[in-house]
Amino acid sequence: MTTTETVPAVRTRAAEAPVRPGLTPAGLVTVLLGAALTIIDFFIVNVALPTIDADLKASTATLELVVAGYGIAYAVLLVVGGRLGDSLGRRRMYTIGLALFTLTSLACGLAPTAGTLVIARVAQGAAAAMMLPQVLSIIQASTDGEHRSRALGMYGATGGIATVIGQLLGGALVAANVWDLSWRPIFLVNVPIGIVGLIMARKLPETRAHNPLGVDRWGTVLLGVALLSLLVPLMEGHALGWPLWTVALLVLFPFAAFAFVRVERRLERRGGHPLLPPSVMRMPSVRLGLLVGVPFFSGFGAFMFVYAMTLQGGLHLGPMGAGLALTPMAIGFFTMSLISSRLVARFGQKVVVTGGVLLLLGVLTLIGSTLLAWPDLNVLDLAPAMLLIGVGNGLAMTTLFRIVLSKVPTDLAGVGSGVMTTNQQTSLALGVATLGSLFASLSAPDSLGMKSAFVLVIGLQAVLVLAVIVGARRLPDPRG
């Protein structure tokens, strides 16, 4: 979950059937609606976390699971969703995914307890993994030439637009307290939108791969076990006093990760199609891009969680104020995502370095503003730092995806994008699990307090951004 422009896994070695039905403007709007819903949901949740906490008496660790559980399910099942679309039909899987997303949104909105909400959010992430990979698949399989270029451009812009809508809509819905439902409308609003999308989806062209690949069952299971055994204890261990089961899961993690790598290598040697192919992972552009992506996306995931909690818990801005405080970042990201391709055509991988520098400058400005004006920080005080952070993220994130995919052969484009998106979602969840948990433990009144905890965690993010800047200097030029 994410929250940003991503490129889901949509293509594999499988050849397309020769018939290429056209995608109408209404069809394009339909698939972009599905892509926007998943991004909107990420930002709506961040703005509403303090209200959910107050209503359901959720611990900070549980709130982390509300955010990260969605991302973990999405990361594990993303490639599986793409391959099911290849086999069963992209329109069919998009419709199934959207229907499940609508139902799980209803379950989130009606959740009576924090634990139920976490379960519903995991199910919602799984539904998104079934739906979202079909978006680019349908565009790629049913468009060509200038039509495809325009469609892909609109897909890229959707991420920035959905970010702005998510923050403002989330803040407005929570502040309005519609029918005295508190935070619940942020999920329930997906239900009528989803129903409209399902009606529109009947007009989408049906496409599928001519020779679809199978699902890497063992790889999927082992990746899920590895992610859960690492992230769940990191999020829950401190809050629960590190019970034996959390320690056992951490001990299990290296064994699960090792088994996953062994299974993937063995499957590829036998001519199979692993979930994350080692041959693709070894490509310099992919390997270096993933290494840079881990600190970048981990820092972003942690920042969104910690910033949202601080705005309302420390600065008492309220949900609407929190949405407005995030808007300059979204505007900066949206603007840069629209022009980043032209900048990459001229400056290559230096765009990532430049984005990292601007991001670092924004983070340091935010730290300075906090130290100087706390607790009287307002939306205008935060705006310069947030605009810089948005511009930096917009330049670095979109270019990083392009670099990772730039050297991947066309017949492996879906595999490459699946590897990158899985890395992204896993790192987002890892950031929430580590820095988010650290913030939760330090922000308590009997510890450092909200201000010092926020400055410390944002300072650690600055260190991660510095690592991104150093690593980005070694990235290959995507223009070759």
Side-chain angles (χ1 to χ4, degrees):
M1 127 164 105
T2 99
T3 66
T4 57
E5 179 181 279
T6 58
V7 186
V10 296
R11 294 295 298 267
T12 62
R13 293 180 186 270
E16 293 295 333
V19 178
R20 190 184 291 272
L23 182 65
T24 64
L28 178 60
V29 170
T30 301
V31 293
L32 293 181
L33 175 66
L37 274 177
T38 58
I39 300 170
I40 288 172
D41 242 48
F42 173 80
F43 283 99
I44 278 182
V45 167
N46 274 281
V47 171
L49 285 174
T51 308
I52 295 173
D53 181 19
D55 186 36
L56 298 182
K57 305 299 186 292
S59 66
T60 304
T62 303
L63 294 178
E64 291 169 5
L65 283 175
V66 170
V67 177
Y70 180 97
I72 294 171
Y74 179 86
V76 172
L77 297 174
L78 176 73
V79 179
V80 175
R83 292 187 180 181
L84 288 175
D86 287 345
S87 302
L88 303 177
R90 280 73 175 256
R91 183 185 67 188
R92 176 182 297 179
M93 282 308 302
Y94 176 86
T95 303
I96 291 173
L98 181 56
L100 292 175
F101 190 86
T102 303
L103 289 174
T104 52
S105 295
L106 179 62
C108 289
L110 299 178
T113 65
T116 307
L117 179 59
V118 170
I119 294 172
R121 281 286 288 171
V122 171
Q124 192 182 38
M130 297 297 103
M131 172 178 62
L132 199 58
Q134 318 312 327
V135 174
L136 281 183
S137 289
I138 291 172
I139 291 174
Q140 196 160 347
S142 55
T143 62
D144 52 26
E146 184 62 27
H147 186 195
R148 178 181 294 177
S149 298
R150 287 196 302 270
L152 292 175
M154 292 181 67
Y155 173 83
T158 297
I161 295 172
T163 301
V164 176
I165 293 174
Q167 288 152 181
L168 293 177
L169 181 62
L173 286 174
V174 175
N177 193 18
V178 180
W179 296 324
D180 202 29
L181 291 175
S182 184
W183 53 271
R184 298 180 186 277
I186 69 170
F187 295 111
L188 297 177
V189 71
N190 293 337
V191 176
I193 297 174
I195 292 173
V196 172
L198 288 171
I199 295 172
M200 296 172 64
R202 293 182 299 176
K203 299 297 184 180
L204 289 174
E206 182 61 285
T207 65
R208 67 187 70 203
H210 185 59
N211 296 306
L213 302 181
V215 174
D216 177 11
R217 296 180 180 86
W218 278 109
T220 302
V221 170
L222 288 171
L223 178 61
V225 171
L227 291 177
L228 291 173
S229 62
L230 174 65
L231 297 175
V232 170
L234 288 179
M235 285 185 285
E236 298 293 313
H238 176 80
L240 299 177
W242 294 104
L244 183 60
W245 67 266
T246 59
V247 178
L249 283 178
L250 285 176
V251 172
L252 173 63
F253 167 69
F255 294 99
F258 177 76
F260 172 72
V261 173
R262 286 287 302 271
V263 165
E264 298 298 273
R265 288 176 176 174
R266 184 182 305 165
L267 181 59
E268 189 170 62
R269 282 198 302 267
R270 293 177 176 177
H273 305 289
L275 188 69
L276 302 179
S279 60
V280 174
M281 302 282 282
R282 287 192 295 266
M283 297 178 64
S285 58
V286 175
R287 185 180 71 252
L288 294 174
L290 295 181
L291 288 175
V292 172
V294 170
F296 179 83
F297 292 117
S298 295
F300 183 81
F303 175 81
M304 294 305 301
F305 179 83
V306 170
Y307 188 64
M309 296 294 291
T310 302
L311 287 175
Q312 296 185 60
L315 299 177
H316 308 291
L317 291 183
M320 191 62 194
L324 291 173
L326 284 164
T327 301
M329 186 189 79
I331 293 173
F333 180 90
F334 173 55
T335 303
M336 290 302 105
S337 67
L338 291 179
I339 67 173
S340 63
S341 59
R342 282 178 282 176
L343 294 175
V344 171
R346 183 171 181 180
F347 300 108
Q349 77 278 21
K350 295 178 182 177
V351 174
V352 180
V353 179
T354 303
V357 171
L358 292 173
L359 177 56
L360 180 60
L361 181 60
V363 169
L364 295 177
T365 302
L366 180 60
I367 292 174
S369 300
T370 301
L371 292 174
L372 290 173
W374 186 280
D376 299 320
L377 275 169
N378 56 44
V379 173
L380 292 179
D381 296 329
L382 295 167
M386 295 307 294
L387 182 62
L388 282 170
I389 290 172
V391 169
N393 275 313
L395 288 174
M397 191 180 300
T398 54
T399 307
L400 195 57
F401 269 97
R402 179 168 177 174
I403 289 173
V404 169
L405 298 175
S406 62
K407 311 298 181 186
V408 177
T410 302
D411 62 343
L412 289 175
V415 175
S417 60
V419 168
M420 182 59 183
T421 308
T422 301
N423 172 273
Q424 179 198 36
Q425 295 298 321
T426 303
S427 299
L428 288 171
L430 182 63
V432 175
T434 52
L435 294 183
S437 296
L438 177 64
F439 173 78
S441 64
L442 296 179
S443 60
D446 58 350
S447 186
L448 294 182
M450 188 73 72
K451 173 188 173 182
S452 297
F454 178 70
V455 170
L456 176 60
V457 172
I458 298 301
L460 291 176
Q461 192 205 357
V463 175
L464 292 177
V465 175
L466 188 60
V468 169
I469 295 171
V470 173
R473 295 171 64 87
R474 300 180 56 198
L475 292 172
D477 194 325
R479 296 172 294 179

